[in-house]
Amino acid sequence: MQLMGEKPVTRRIPLPSEERPAPGVIMKGRSAVQLVPLYAVAFTSGAVMMCLQLAGARLLAPVMGNSIFVWGSVISSFMSALAAGYWLGGVLADRYGARRTLGIAVGLAGL
């Protein structure tokens, strides 16, 4: 039943080129099993960054103290660096999109 002033609801029929991917396919042409190395790299690099964050705060503690301001500055510095890295990684992935690009990016970040 349509009330006065409402527009009728129309359903858009998808074109054949807009079909949904098969179940288990997360990215175009890649299954979830093929993305496990990517997830492993993201998890490992995040864990390493967390360890470096803790070590950085511990190194600053004797000089600057162990206050909330020290922890806040360390956390905000690391979060800013992660955001910039994720943005740059997204740009590189959109432009080149190869596994070799991921290896080069992670290798350069480790230097």
Side-chain angles (χ1 to χ4, degrees):
M1 183 173 171
Q2 184 178 348
L3 300 175
M4 290 182 66
E6 286 187 11
K7 293 183 179 180
V9 178
T10 58
R11 297 188 81 187
R12 185 175 162 273
I13 299 172
L15 299 173
S17 62
E18 299 174 341
E19 292 179 7
R20 293 184 180 189
V25 176
I26 296 174
M27 291 175 60
K28 186 176 13 173
R30 302 204 186 266
S31 68
V33 175
Q34 291 174 323
L35 294 175
V36 168
L38 178 64
Y39 293 147
V41 167
F43 177 80
T44 305
S45 64
V48 168
M49 285 294 289
M50 189 174 70
C51 293
L52 288 174
Q53 181 178 352
L54 290 171
R58 296 291 180 187
L59 283 172
L60 287 176
V63 179
M64 310 271 308
N66 201 9
S67 69
I68 193 164
F69 301 109
V70 172
W71 279 99
S73 64
V74 169
I75 290 171
S76 62
S77 299
F78 272 83
M79 293 298 283
S80 300
L82 281 173
Y86 289 147
W87 174 78
L88 182 62
V91 169
L92 291 175
D94 287 343
R95 183 168 294 173
Y96 302 110
R99 286 187 181 197
R100 190 174 121 199
T101 307
L102 175 65
I104 291 170
V106 172
L108 288 175
L111 291 177

PDB file of all heavy atoms in Angstrom, residues 44-85:
ATOM      1  N   THR A  44      51.507 -10.239  11.666  1.00  0.00           N
ATOM      2  CA  THR A  44      52.869 -10.213  12.188  1.00  0.00           C
ATOM      3  C   THR A  44      53.404  -8.791  12.265  1.00  0.00           C
ATOM      4  O   THR A  44      54.021  -8.410  13.269  1.00  0.00           O
ATOM      5  CB  THR A  44      53.791 -11.073  11.308  1.00  0.00           C
ATOM      6  OG1 THR A  44      53.241 -12.391  11.217  1.00  0.00           O
ATOM      7  CG2 THR A  44      55.184 -11.154  11.886  1.00  0.00           C
ATOM      8  N   SER A  45      53.175  -7.995  11.236  1.00  0.00           N
ATOM      9  CA  SER A  45      53.667  -6.614  11.279  1.00  0.00           C
ATOM     10  C   SER A  45      52.954  -5.807  12.358  1.00  0.00           C
ATOM     11  O   SER A  45      53.568  -4.969  13.026  1.00  0.00           O
ATOM     12  CB  SER A  45      53.515  -5.948   9.913  1.00  0.00           C
ATOM     13  OG  SER A  45      52.161  -5.848   9.561  1.00  0.00           O
ATOM     14  N   GLY A  46      51.674  -6.069  12.599  1.00  0.00           N
ATOM     15  CA  GLY A  46      50.959  -5.397  13.683  1.00  0.00           C
ATOM     16  C   GLY A  46      51.493  -5.791  15.051  1.00  0.00           C
ATOM     17  O   GLY A  46      51.639  -4.945  15.939  1.00  0.00           O
ATOM     18  N   ALA A  47      51.820  -7.077  15.230  1.00  0.00           N
ATOM     19  CA  ALA A  47      52.381  -7.530  16.501  1.00  0.00           C
ATOM     20  C   ALA A  47      53.760  -6.928  16.743  1.00  0.00           C
ATOM     21  O   ALA A  47      54.094  -6.521  17.862  1.00  0.00           O
ATOM     22  CB  ALA A  47      52.452  -9.058  16.524  1.00  0.00           C
ATOM     23  N   VAL A  48      54.568  -6.838  15.699  1.00  0.00           N
ATOM     24  CA  VAL A  48      55.896  -6.229  15.825  1.00  0.00           C
ATOM     25  C   VAL A  48      55.772  -4.747  16.168  1.00  0.00           C
ATOM     26  O   VAL A  48      56.513  -4.227  17.012  1.00  0.00           O
ATOM     27  CB  VAL A  48      56.713  -6.448  14.529  1.00  0.00           C
ATOM     28  CG1 VAL A  48      57.952  -5.593  14.500  1.00  0.00           C
ATOM     29  CG2 VAL A  48      57.077  -7.917  14.385  1.00  0.00           C
ATOM     30  N   MET A  49      54.826  -4.065  15.543  1.00  0.00           N
ATOM     31  CA  MET A  49      54.626  -2.651  15.847  1.00  0.00           C
ATOM     32  C   MET A  49      54.186  -2.455  17.300  1.00  0.00           C
ATOM     33  O   MET A  49      54.603  -1.502  17.959  1.00  0.00           O
ATOM     34  CB  MET A  49      53.586  -2.038  14.906  1.00  0.00           C
ATOM     35  CG  MET A  49      54.094  -1.800  13.512  1.00  0.00           C
ATOM     36  SD  MET A  49      55.379  -0.565  13.427  1.00  0.00           S
ATOM     37  CE  MET A  49      54.460   0.909  13.743  1.00  0.00           C
ATOM     38  N   MET A  50      53.368  -3.358  17.813  1.00  0.00           N
ATOM     39  CA  MET A  50      52.954  -3.246  19.207  1.00  0.00           C
ATOM     40  C   MET A  50      54.145  -3.449  20.149  1.00  0.00           C
ATOM     41  O   MET A  50      54.281  -2.736  21.146  1.00  0.00           O
ATOM     42  CB  MET A  50      51.861  -4.264  19.522  1.00  0.00           C
ATOM     43  CG  MET A  50      51.243  -4.057  20.888  1.00  0.00           C
ATOM     44  SD  MET A  50      49.844  -5.122  21.215  1.00  0.00           S
ATOM     45  CE  MET A  50      50.634  -6.699  21.376  1.00  0.00           C
ATOM     46  N   CYS A  51      55.020  -4.396  19.820  1.00  0.00           N
ATOM     47  CA  CYS A  51      56.228  -4.606  20.628  1.00  0.00           C
ATOM     48  C   CYS A  51      57.143  -3.384  20.583  1.00  0.00           C
ATOM     49  O   CYS A  51      57.711  -2.981  21.603  1.00  0.00           O
ATOM     50  CB  CYS A  51      56.973  -5.844  20.156  1.00  0.00           C
ATOM     51  SG  CYS A  51      56.085  -7.375  20.465  1.00  0.00           S
ATOM     52  N   LEU A  52      57.291  -2.787  19.412  1.00  0.00           N
ATOM     53  CA  LEU A  52      58.108  -1.579  19.300  1.00  0.00           C
ATOM     54  C   LEU A  52      57.495  -0.415  20.070  1.00  0.00           C
ATOM     55  O   LEU A  52      58.215   0.409  20.643  1.00  0.00           O
ATOM     56  CB  LEU A  52      58.284  -1.200  17.828  1.00  0.00           C
ATOM     57  CG  LEU A  52      59.191  -2.097  17.000  1.00  0.00           C
ATOM     58  CD1 LEU A  52      59.151  -1.683  15.542  1.00  0.00           C
ATOM     59  CD2 LEU A  52      60.604  -2.061  17.529  1.00  0.00           C
ATOM     60  N   GLN A  53      56.189  -0.350  20.094  1.00  0.00           N
ATOM     61  CA  GLN A  53      55.508   0.697  20.842  1.00  0.00           C
ATOM     62  C   GLN A  53      55.786   0.559  22.333  1.00  0.00           C
ATOM     63  O   GLN A  53      56.089   1.542  23.014  1.00  0.00           O
ATOM     64  CB  GLN A  53      54.018   0.610  20.567  1.00  0.00           C
ATOM     65  CG  GLN A  53      53.184   1.637  21.252  1.00  0.00           C
ATOM     66  CD  GLN A  53      51.713   1.499  20.885  1.00  0.00           C
ATOM     67  OE1 GLN A  53      51.349   0.733  20.005  1.00  0.00           O
ATOM     68  NE2 GLN A  53      50.878   2.225  21.568  1.00  0.00           N
ATOM     69  N   LEU A  54      55.692  -0.650  22.843  1.00  0.00           N
ATOM     70  CA  LEU A  54      55.997  -0.882  24.254  1.00  0.00           C
ATOM     71  C   LEU A  54      57.452  -0.582  24.568  1.00  0.00           C
ATOM     72  O   LEU A  54      57.770   0.026  25.601  1.00  0.00           O
ATOM     73  CB  LEU A  54      55.649  -2.321  24.637  1.00  0.00           C
ATOM     74  CG  LEU A  54      54.168  -2.657  24.676  1.00  0.00           C
ATOM     75  CD1 LEU A  54      53.961  -4.148  24.855  1.00  0.00           C
ATOM     76  CD2 LEU A  54      53.483  -1.889  25.772  1.00  0.00           C
ATOM     77  N   ALA A  55      58.352  -1.006  23.678  1.00  0.00           N
ATOM     78  CA  ALA A  55      59.778  -0.739  23.897  1.00  0.00           C
ATOM     79  C   ALA A  55      60.074   0.757  23.858  1.00  0.00           C
ATOM     80  O   ALA A  55      60.876   1.262  24.659  1.00  0.00           O
ATOM     81  CB  ALA A  55      60.609  -1.474  22.842  1.00  0.00           C
ATOM     82  N   GLY A  56      59.446   1.472  22.955  1.00  0.00           N
ATOM     83  CA  GLY A  56      59.644   2.925  22.875  1.00  0.00           C
ATOM     84  C   GLY A  56      59.180   3.633  24.133  1.00  0.00           C
ATOM     85  O   GLY A  56      59.843   4.554  24.625  1.00  0.00           O
ATOM     86  N   ALA A  57      58.049   3.218  24.662  1.00  0.00           N
ATOM     87  CA  ALA A  57      57.554   3.837  25.897  1.00  0.00           C
ATOM     88  C   ALA A  57      58.473   3.509  27.064  1.00  0.00           C
ATOM     89  O   ALA A  57      58.710   4.358  27.938  1.00  0.00           O
ATOM     90  CB  ALA A  57      56.138   3.363  26.183  1.00  0.00           C
ATOM     91  N   ARG A  58      59.012   2.301  27.086  1.00  0.00           N
ATOM     92  CA  ARG A  58      59.929   1.923  28.165  1.00  0.00           C
ATOM     93  C   ARG A  58      61.253   2.683  28.056  1.00  0.00           C
ATOM     94  O   ARG A  58      61.881   2.986  29.070  1.00  0.00           O
ATOM     95  CB  ARG A  58      60.198   0.420  28.149  1.00  0.00           C
ATOM     96  CG  ARG A  58      58.992  -0.419  28.422  1.00  0.00           C
ATOM     97  CD  ARG A  58      58.541  -0.286  29.831  1.00  0.00           C
ATOM     98  NE  ARG A  58      57.365  -1.103  30.056  1.00  0.00           N
ATOM     99  CZ  ARG A  58      56.669  -1.088  31.142  1.00  0.00           C
ATOM    100  NH1 ARG A  58      57.008  -0.290  32.134  1.00  0.00           N
ATOM    101  NH2 ARG A  58      55.614  -1.842  31.275  1.00  0.00           N
ATOM    102  N   LEU A  59      61.686   2.964  26.835  1.00  0.00           N
ATOM    103  CA  LEU A  59      62.914   3.744  26.667  1.00  0.00           C
ATOM    104  C   LEU A  59      62.725   5.199  27.103  1.00  0.00           C
ATOM    105  O   LEU A  59      63.660   5.833  27.592  1.00  0.00           O
ATOM    106  CB  LEU A  59      63.378   3.702  25.216  1.00  0.00           C
ATOM    107  CG  LEU A  59      64.067   2.422  24.764  1.00  0.00           C
ATOM    108  CD1 LEU A  59      64.302   2.440  23.270  1.00  0.00           C
ATOM    109  CD2 LEU A  59      65.374   2.243  25.500  1.00  0.00           C
ATOM    110  N   LEU A  60      61.535   5.736  26.904  1.00  0.00           N
ATOM    111  CA  LEU A  60      61.266   7.108  27.305  1.00  0.00           C
ATOM    112  C   LEU A  60      60.995   7.250  28.808  1.00  0.00           C
ATOM    113  O   LEU A  60      61.100   8.352  29.357  1.00  0.00           O
ATOM    114  CB  LEU A  60      60.071   7.661  26.537  1.00  0.00           C
ATOM    115  CG  LEU A  60      60.293   7.993  25.070  1.00  0.00           C
ATOM    116  CD1 LEU A  60      58.991   8.426  24.433  1.00  0.00           C
ATOM    117  CD2 LEU A  60      61.339   9.066  24.923  1.00  0.00           C
ATOM    118  N   ALA A  61      60.649   6.168  29.473  1.00  0.00           N
ATOM    119  CA  ALA A  61      60.253   6.231  30.885  1.00  0.00           C
ATOM    120  C   ALA A  61      61.335   6.810  31.802  1.00  0.00           C
ATOM    121  O   ALA A  61      61.019   7.654  32.642  1.00  0.00           O
ATOM    122  CB  ALA A  61      59.806   4.856  31.365  1.00  0.00           C
ATOM    123  N   PRO A  62      62.614   6.417  31.696  1.00  0.00           N
ATOM    124  CA  PRO A  62      63.596   6.996  32.615  1.00  0.00           C
ATOM    125  C   PRO A  62      63.798   8.503  32.411  1.00  0.00           C
ATOM    126  O   PRO A  62      64.098   9.230  33.356  1.00  0.00           O
ATOM    127  CB  PRO A  62      64.887   6.245  32.302  1.00  0.00           C
ATOM    128  CG  PRO A  62      64.483   5.008  31.613  1.00  0.00           C
ATOM    129  CD  PRO A  62      63.201   5.322  30.920  1.00  0.00           C
ATOM    130  N   VAL A  63      63.648   8.980  31.209  1.00  0.00           N
ATOM    131  CA  VAL A  63      63.915  10.384  30.916  1.00  0.00           C
ATOM    132  C   VAL A  63      62.659  11.239  31.109  1.00  0.00           C
ATOM    133  O   VAL A  63      62.703  12.301  31.739  1.00  0.00           O
ATOM    134  CB  VAL A  63      64.435  10.531  29.462  1.00  0.00           C
ATOM    135  CG1 VAL A  63      64.687  11.982  29.118  1.00  0.00           C
ATOM    136  CG2 VAL A  63      65.670   9.696  29.258  1.00  0.00           C
ATOM    137  N   MET A  64      61.534  10.798  30.552  1.00  0.00           N
ATOM    138  CA  MET A  64      60.310  11.608  30.540  1.00  0.00           C
ATOM    139  C   MET A  64      59.304  11.185  31.598  1.00  0.00           C
ATOM    140  O   MET A  64      58.292  11.845  31.775  1.00  0.00           O
ATOM    141  CB  MET A  64      59.640  11.493  29.162  1.00  0.00           C
ATOM    142  CG  MET A  64      60.525  11.739  27.992  1.00  0.00           C
ATOM    143  SD  MET A  64      60.663  13.409  27.447  1.00  0.00           S
ATOM    144  CE  MET A  64      59.017  13.935  27.243  1.00  0.00           C
ATOM    145  N   GLY A  65      59.526  10.061  32.231  1.00  0.00           N
ATOM    146  CA  GLY A  65      58.569   9.559  33.210  1.00  0.00           C
ATOM    147  C   GLY A  65      57.623   8.559  32.564  1.00  0.00           C
ATOM    148  O   GLY A  65      57.705   8.258  31.378  1.00  0.00           O
ATOM    149  N   ASN A  66      56.735   8.032  33.389  1.00  0.00           N
ATOM    150  CA  ASN A  66      55.809   7.009  32.914  1.00  0.00           C
ATOM    151  C   ASN A  66      54.376   7.511  33.056  1.00  0.00           C
ATOM    152  O   ASN A  66      53.507   6.823  33.567  1.00  0.00           O
ATOM    153  CB  ASN A  66      56.027   5.724  33.716  1.00  0.00           C
ATOM    154  CG  ASN A  66      55.517   4.515  32.986  1.00  0.00           C
ATOM    155  OD1 ASN A  66      55.148   4.596  31.827  1.00  0.00           O
ATOM    156  ND2 ASN A  66      55.483   3.385  33.676  1.00  0.00           N
ATOM    157  N   SER A  67      54.138   8.728  32.588  1.00  0.00           N
ATOM    158  CA  SER A  67      52.821   9.342  32.750  1.00  0.00           C
ATOM    159  C   SER A  67      51.924   9.033  31.559  1.00  0.00           C
ATOM    160  O   SER A  67      52.355   8.483  30.544  1.00  0.00           O
ATOM    161  CB  SER A  67      52.971  10.853  32.915  1.00  0.00           C
ATOM    162  OG  SER A  67      53.401  11.425  31.705  1.00  0.00           O
ATOM    163  N   ILE A  68      50.694   9.442  31.695  1.00  0.00           N
ATOM    164  CA  ILE A  68      49.735   9.237  30.616  1.00  0.00           C
ATOM    165  C   ILE A  68      50.087  10.068  29.383  1.00  0.00           C
ATOM    166  O   ILE A  68      49.775   9.701  28.255  1.00  0.00           O
ATOM    167  CB  ILE A  68      48.306   9.540  31.115  1.00  0.00           C
ATOM    168  CG1 ILE A  68      47.290   9.012  30.109  1.00  0.00           C
ATOM    169  CG2 ILE A  68      48.125  11.022  31.333  1.00  0.00           C
ATOM    170  CD1 ILE A  68      45.901   8.915  30.653  1.00  0.00           C
ATOM    171  N   PHE A  69      50.792  11.175  29.591  1.00  0.00           N
ATOM    172  CA  PHE A  69      51.188  12.023  28.463  1.00  0.00           C
ATOM    173  C   PHE A  69      52.256  11.343  27.609  1.00  0.00           C
ATOM    174  O   PHE A  69      52.256  11.461  26.384  1.00  0.00           O
ATOM    175  CB  PHE A  69      51.682  13.378  28.968  1.00  0.00           C
ATOM    176  CG  PHE A  69      50.644  14.114  29.759  1.00  0.00           C
ATOM    177  CD1 PHE A  69      50.781  14.274  31.117  1.00  0.00           C
ATOM    178  CD2 PHE A  69      49.513  14.615  29.134  1.00  0.00           C
ATOM    179  CE1 PHE A  69      49.811  14.933  31.849  1.00  0.00           C
ATOM    180  CE2 PHE A  69      48.542  15.281  29.850  1.00  0.00           C
ATOM    181  CZ  PHE A  69      48.687  15.438  31.218  1.00  0.00           C
ATOM    182  N   VAL A  70      53.170  10.628  28.252  1.00  0.00           N
ATOM    183  CA  VAL A  70      54.197   9.885  27.510  1.00  0.00           C
ATOM    184  C   VAL A  70      53.535   8.763  26.719  1.00  0.00           C
ATOM    185  O   VAL A  70      53.806   8.591  25.520  1.00  0.00           O
ATOM    186  CB  VAL A  70      55.269   9.320  28.474  1.00  0.00           C
ATOM    187  CG1 VAL A  70      56.220   8.402  27.742  1.00  0.00           C
ATOM    188  CG2 VAL A  70      56.019  10.446  29.146  1.00  0.00           C
ATOM    189  N   TRP A  71      52.671   8.000  27.365  1.00  0.00           N
ATOM    190  CA  TRP A  71      51.995   6.910  26.669  1.00  0.00           C
ATOM    191  C   TRP A  71      51.098   7.437  25.549  1.00  0.00           C
ATOM    192  O   TRP A  71      51.033   6.846  24.473  1.00  0.00           O
ATOM    193  CB  TRP A  71      51.171   6.083  27.650  1.00  0.00           C
ATOM    194  CG  TRP A  71      52.024   5.108  28.392  1.00  0.00           C
ATOM    195  CD1 TRP A  71      52.525   5.264  29.639  1.00  0.00           C
ATOM    196  CD2 TRP A  71      52.498   3.856  27.910  1.00  0.00           C
ATOM    197  NE1 TRP A  71      53.283   4.173  29.978  1.00  0.00           N
ATOM    198  CE2 TRP A  71      53.283   3.282  28.925  1.00  0.00           C
ATOM    199  CE3 TRP A  71      52.346   3.148  26.731  1.00  0.00           C
ATOM    200  CZ2 TRP A  71      53.902   2.055  28.796  1.00  0.00           C
ATOM    201  CZ3 TRP A  71      52.963   1.915  26.612  1.00  0.00           C
ATOM    202  CH2 TRP A  71      53.730   1.385  27.623  1.00  0.00           C
ATOM    203  N   GLY A  72      50.428   8.550  25.805  1.00  0.00           N
ATOM    204  CA  GLY A  72      49.578   9.134  24.774  1.00  0.00           C
ATOM    205  C   GLY A  72      50.360   9.593  23.559  1.00  0.00           C
ATOM    206  O   GLY A  72      49.936   9.397  22.420  1.00  0.00           O
ATOM    207  N   SER A  73      51.531  10.197  23.793  1.00  0.00           N
ATOM    208  CA  SER A  73      52.340  10.643  22.660  1.00  0.00           C
ATOM    209  C   SER A  73      52.927   9.468  21.897  1.00  0.00           C
ATOM    210  O   SER A  73      52.997   9.493  20.664  1.00  0.00           O
ATOM    211  CB  SER A  73      53.441  11.589  23.134  1.00  0.00           C
ATOM    212  OG  SER A  73      54.336  10.907  23.989  1.00  0.00           O
ATOM    213  N   VAL A  74      53.333   8.426  22.594  1.00  0.00           N
ATOM    214  CA  VAL A  74      53.876   7.239  21.912  1.00  0.00           C
ATOM    215  C   VAL A  74      52.780   6.556  21.098  1.00  0.00           C
ATOM    216  O   VAL A  74      52.984   6.215  19.922  1.00  0.00           O
ATOM    217  CB  VAL A  74      54.498   6.255  22.934  1.00  0.00           C
ATOM    218  CG1 VAL A  74      54.813   4.926  22.289  1.00  0.00           C
ATOM    219  CG2 VAL A  74      55.756   6.854  23.537  1.00  0.00           C
ATOM    220  N   ILE A  75      51.626   6.385  21.693  1.00  0.00           N
ATOM    221  CA  ILE A  75      50.519   5.725  20.984  1.00  0.00           C
ATOM    222  C   ILE A  75      50.070   6.547  19.787  1.00  0.00           C
ATOM    223  O   ILE A  75      49.862   6.007  18.689  1.00  0.00           O
ATOM    224  CB  ILE A  75      49.344   5.459  21.946  1.00  0.00           C
ATOM    225  CG1 ILE A  75      49.729   4.368  22.942  1.00  0.00           C
ATOM    226  CG2 ILE A  75      48.087   5.062  21.187  1.00  0.00           C
ATOM    227  CD1 ILE A  75      48.741   4.177  24.060  1.00  0.00           C
ATOM    228  N   SER A  76      49.962   7.869  19.951  1.00  0.00           N
ATOM    229  CA  SER A  76      49.523   8.693  18.820  1.00  0.00           C
ATOM    230  C   SER A  76      50.567   8.727  17.715  1.00  0.00           C
ATOM    231  O   SER A  76      50.215   8.755  16.530  1.00  0.00           O
ATOM    232  CB  SER A  76      49.187  10.103  19.281  1.00  0.00           C
ATOM    233  OG  SER A  76      50.331  10.732  19.821  1.00  0.00           O
ATOM    234  N   SER A  77      51.849   8.698  18.071  1.00  0.00           N
ATOM    235  CA  SER A  77      52.901   8.651  17.041  1.00  0.00           C
ATOM    236  C   SER A  77      52.823   7.359  16.242  1.00  0.00           C
ATOM    237  O   SER A  77      52.908   7.371  15.003  1.00  0.00           O
ATOM    238  CB  SER A  77      54.275   8.762  17.690  1.00  0.00           C
ATOM    239  OG  SER A  77      54.416   9.970  18.372  1.00  0.00           O
ATOM    240  N   PHE A  78      52.643   6.242  16.936  1.00  0.00           N
ATOM    241  CA  PHE A  78      52.568   4.963  16.235  1.00  0.00           C
ATOM    242  C   PHE A  78      51.290   4.855  15.408  1.00  0.00           C
ATOM    243  O   PHE A  78      51.320   4.322  14.293  1.00  0.00           O
ATOM    244  CB  PHE A  78      52.676   3.807  17.230  1.00  0.00           C
ATOM    245  CG  PHE A  78      54.078   3.398  17.512  1.00  0.00           C
ATOM    246  CD1 PHE A  78      54.849   4.067  18.437  1.00  0.00           C
ATOM    247  CD2 PHE A  78      54.661   2.342  16.829  1.00  0.00           C
ATOM    248  CE1 PHE A  78      56.148   3.704  18.693  1.00  0.00           C
ATOM    249  CE2 PHE A  78      55.961   1.966  17.068  1.00  0.00           C
ATOM    250  CZ  PHE A  78      56.708   2.655  18.004  1.00  0.00           C
ATOM    251  N   MET A  79      50.180   5.359  15.930  1.00  0.00           N
ATOM    252  CA  MET A  79      48.935   5.296  15.167  1.00  0.00           C
ATOM    253  C   MET A  79      49.008   6.168  13.918  1.00  0.00           C
ATOM    254  O   MET A  79      48.502   5.787  12.858  1.00  0.00           O
ATOM    255  CB  MET A  79      47.755   5.723  16.040  1.00  0.00           C
ATOM    256  CG  MET A  79      47.462   4.759  17.177  1.00  0.00           C
ATOM    257  SD  MET A  79      47.014   3.125  16.610  1.00  0.00           S
ATOM    258  CE  MET A  79      45.357   3.408  16.109  1.00  0.00           C
ATOM    259  N   SER A  80      49.650   7.319  14.017  1.00  0.00           N
ATOM    260  CA  SER A  80      49.830   8.175  12.838  1.00  0.00           C
ATOM    261  C   SER A  80      50.709   7.498  11.802  1.00  0.00           C
ATOM    262  O   SER A  80      50.419   7.543  10.599  1.00  0.00           O
ATOM    263  CB  SER A  80      50.451   9.509  13.247  1.00  0.00           C
ATOM    264  OG  SER A  80      49.629  10.177  14.150  1.00  0.00           O
ATOM    265  N   ALA A  81      51.778   6.862  12.266  1.00  0.00           N
ATOM    266  CA  ALA A  81      52.668   6.158  11.338  1.00  0.00           C
ATOM    267  C   ALA A  81      51.956   4.977  10.682  1.00  0.00           C
ATOM    268  O   ALA A  81      52.128   4.727   9.474  1.00  0.00           O
ATOM    269  CB  ALA A  81      53.912   5.676  12.071  1.00  0.00           C
ATOM    270  N   LEU A  82      51.142   4.251  11.447  1.00  0.00           N
ATOM    271  CA  LEU A  82      50.376   3.146  10.867  1.00  0.00           C
ATOM    272  C   LEU A  82      49.374   3.645   9.837  1.00  0.00           C
ATOM    273  O   LEU A  82      49.219   3.039   8.766  1.00  0.00           O
ATOM    274  CB  LEU A  82      49.647   2.381  11.968  1.00  0.00           C
ATOM    275  CG  LEU A  82      50.472   1.405  12.785  1.00  0.00           C
ATOM    276  CD1 LEU A  82      49.649   0.859  13.937  1.00  0.00           C
ATOM    277  CD2 LEU A  82      50.978   0.272  11.928  1.00  0.00           C
ATOM    278  N   ALA A  83      48.695   4.739  10.135  1.00  0.00           N
ATOM    279  CA  ALA A  83      47.711   5.281   9.184  1.00  0.00           C
ATOM    280  C   ALA A  83      48.387   5.712   7.887  1.00  0.00           C
ATOM    281  O   ALA A  83      47.890   5.434   6.793  1.00  0.00           O
ATOM    282  CB  ALA A  83      46.968   6.447   9.819  1.00  0.00           C
ATOM    283  N   ALA A  84      49.532   6.383   8.003  1.00  0.00           N
ATOM    284  CA  ALA A  84      50.259   6.804   6.798  1.00  0.00           C
ATOM    285  C   ALA A  84      50.749   5.591   6.012  1.00  0.00           C
ATOM    286  O   ALA A  84      50.669   5.568   4.775  1.00  0.00           O
ATOM    287  CB  ALA A  84      51.436   7.702   7.187  1.00  0.00           C
ATOM    288  N   GLY A  85      51.218   4.577   6.711  1.00  0.00           N
ATOM    289  CA  GLY A  85      51.682   3.364   6.034  1.00  0.00           C
ATOM    290  C   GLY A  85      50.565   2.608   5.348  1.00  0.00           C
ATOM    291  O   GLY A  85      50.727   2.101   4.232  1.00  0.00           O
TER     292      GLY A  85
END
